[in-house]
Structure formats: C-alpha cells, structure tokens
C-alpha cells in the first residue's frame, strides 16, 4: 500500500497563536516537535495496517518543520518548496492508494478557530463553486484529479466537520475547538492516540468510498482584506474583478485553479 500524507502545523495539538507557527519565534520549536510526533503516529499506524511506502509532504511555511531524523525507513519526507502549483500536495500522482492529512485547520473567514486561513493571511475568504474553500478542499480536489481517495484528516473540530461534509466516509481526529479568539486544546497524548486509531479505521474501510468527485467547472473567487492587493491580482491571466475586494476565475481545468491560487493569494 502506498500512501501520501500532507502535513500542516496550525491544526496540531496545543497550537493557538499565529506566532507559534513562525520559525523565527522562540515559541515555535515545541509545536514543530508536536507536528513531527503527529505525523510519526500516522505513519506508524499506517505501516501497521500494511502501508509499505509512505510519502510525507511538509506543507507549512518553508516546509522544513518536520524532523527528518525521526522518520522511519519506509517514509520519504519531502522538505522545502518545489515551486509546483500543487504546493502542499507536490509529489502526489496516480500511483497512490490514498491521501491523509495531519494538522489541518479551518478556512479563511471561519470563526471557529482563532487563526483560520487558507494558504496565507491575505484573503478574507475564498470561494470555490460558491463554497468557502479550505486547504483541505483545495488539496482534496488535487487528489481527485489523480483519482486518489481521501482517507483521513486530523485537525481542529471545524475542519473535521467540513471534511465530513465533502467526504462523508473520511475518518477524522479532532485536536481542538475554537470560540472567537480562544482555543480549547485536547491533550497531545490524546491527540496522537486518536490519530493512530483514526488511521487504522480509515485503512480498514473500502477506499473507494472516500473518492472525491471533481466538478466539471470551477468558479474560483478570492475576497481580499486589502483592496490594493485585489487590484494588483486582478491582472493575473483569467482573473476578473467582481468588486473592489473580489476577483473571479472561471475554468474547466483544475490545474488552472491551483496555479492561480499559488500566485494570487501569496
């Protein structure tokens, strides 16, 4: 069994502040270690269930958060940014049997996690075919474009709920819940236990039940916090201004969406 894991940091246990995600801050290191522990828990559980090849994509910031010296011999860790539009999913192809997400979080504009965002902090929110787009949604459609089912997600309670809405058969493990600027954190050991159990349940299911249907047409809309950013990004090929703060792209090609996203929200 060959699995792809895309990992982020904001949805990992205990993390509640933006500063805790920034490498230059003194409070960052404990959360990078927690991210490593949660990824390792997922890998170990998957290996127990028969996964003999696992590719992990470090998906946060400069993509050098996970400790490579902690990875088992059946794991290939992708560190750094290739520049490919797939970004957090770079490395995936048609050969994988499933995708799992670790440390994911609520999307931009969602009030149920204090540092909710989608890829960067530049957007107030992003809509895809009318729905608020999370990194989970973005990356799951990338998986769908390769026919790879989406099996498991860990993260805050809100993104777990949104994952279930898009992929009803997905297994999830929630790490915390938010209310306004507060975050109610689950204990780290409880979280890693949930991840192990959830991964094992996910790999016991029929993976075909977790396939995501790729829409035939995409309407991608970014509403920015700053009207000057909106004006600048309205010149990206295919983007059209909707109002002072919002630009829209219409396309039938998924690669057009991920490519635009890598430019217009950064």
């Amino acid at each position: 069994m060959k699995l792809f894991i895309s990992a982020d940091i904001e949805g990992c246990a205990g993390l509640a502040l933006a500063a805790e995600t920034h490498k230059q801050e003194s409070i960052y290191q404990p959360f990078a270690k927690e991210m490593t522990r949660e990824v390792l828990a997922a890998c170990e559980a998957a290996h127990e269930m028969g996964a003999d090849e696992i590719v992990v994509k470090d998906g946060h910031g400069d993509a050098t958060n996970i400790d490579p010296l902690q990875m088992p011999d059946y794991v290939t860790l992708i560190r750094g940014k290739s520049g490919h539009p797939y970004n957090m999913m770079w490395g995936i192809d048609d050969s994988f049997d499933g995708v799992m997400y670790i440390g994911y979080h609520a999307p931009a504009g969602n009030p149920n996690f204090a540092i909710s965002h989608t890829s960067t902090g530049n957007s107030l929110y992003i809509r895809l075919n009318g729905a608020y787009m999370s990194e989970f949604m973005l990356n799951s459609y990338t998986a769908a474009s390769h026919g790879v089912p989406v099996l498991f997600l860990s993260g805050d309670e809100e993104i777990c709920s949104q994952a279930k809405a898009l992929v009803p058969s997905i297994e999830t493990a929630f790490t915390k819940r938010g209310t306004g600027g507060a975050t109610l954190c689950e204990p780290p050991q409880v979280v890693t236990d949930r991840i192990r159990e959830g991964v094992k349940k996910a790999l016991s299911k029929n993976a075909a039940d977790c396939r995501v249907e790729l829409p035939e047409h995409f309407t991608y809309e970014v509403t920015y916090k700053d009207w000057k950013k909106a004006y600048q990004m309205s010149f990206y090929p295919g983007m059209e201004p909707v109002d002072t703060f919002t630009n829209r792209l219409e396309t039938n090609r998924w690669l057009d969406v991920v490519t635009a996203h890598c430019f217009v929200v950064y």
Side-chain angles (χ1 to χ4, degrees), residues 35-102:
M35 182 182 181
T36 298
R37 281 192 292 269
E38 293 181 21
V39 167
L40 185 57
C43 290
E44 290 174 343
H47 188 59
E48 288 179 30
M49 296 299 292
D52 53 3
E53 186 176 356
I54 301 174
V55 175
V56 175
K57 177 66 183 84
D58 190 323
H60 175 71
D62 68 357
T64 59
N65 309 277
I66 299 167
D67 184 354
L69 305 182
Q70 298 297 316
M71 294 297 103
D73 60 5
Y74 50 86
V75 172
T76 298
L77 175 63
I78 302 176
R79 308 180 75 216
K81 299 234 177 202
S82 70
H84 191 281
Y86 280 3
N87 195 5
M88 299 173 77
M89 297 293 283
W90 185 72
I92 195 168
D93 57 34
D94 299 4
S95 69
F96 287 87
D97 297 302
V99 169
M100 302 192 294
Y101 304 111
I102 300 295

Side-chain angles (χ1 to χ4, degrees), residues 118-141:
T118 303
S119 299
T120 71
N122 287 327
S123 65
L124 185 61
Y125 51 82
I126 301 172
R127 284 193 174 116
L128 185 64
N129 291 352
Y132 289 103
M133 191 185 81
S134 62
E135 293 166 27
F136 165 78
M137 181 186 289
L138 175 76
N139 295 337
S140 293
Y141 281 142

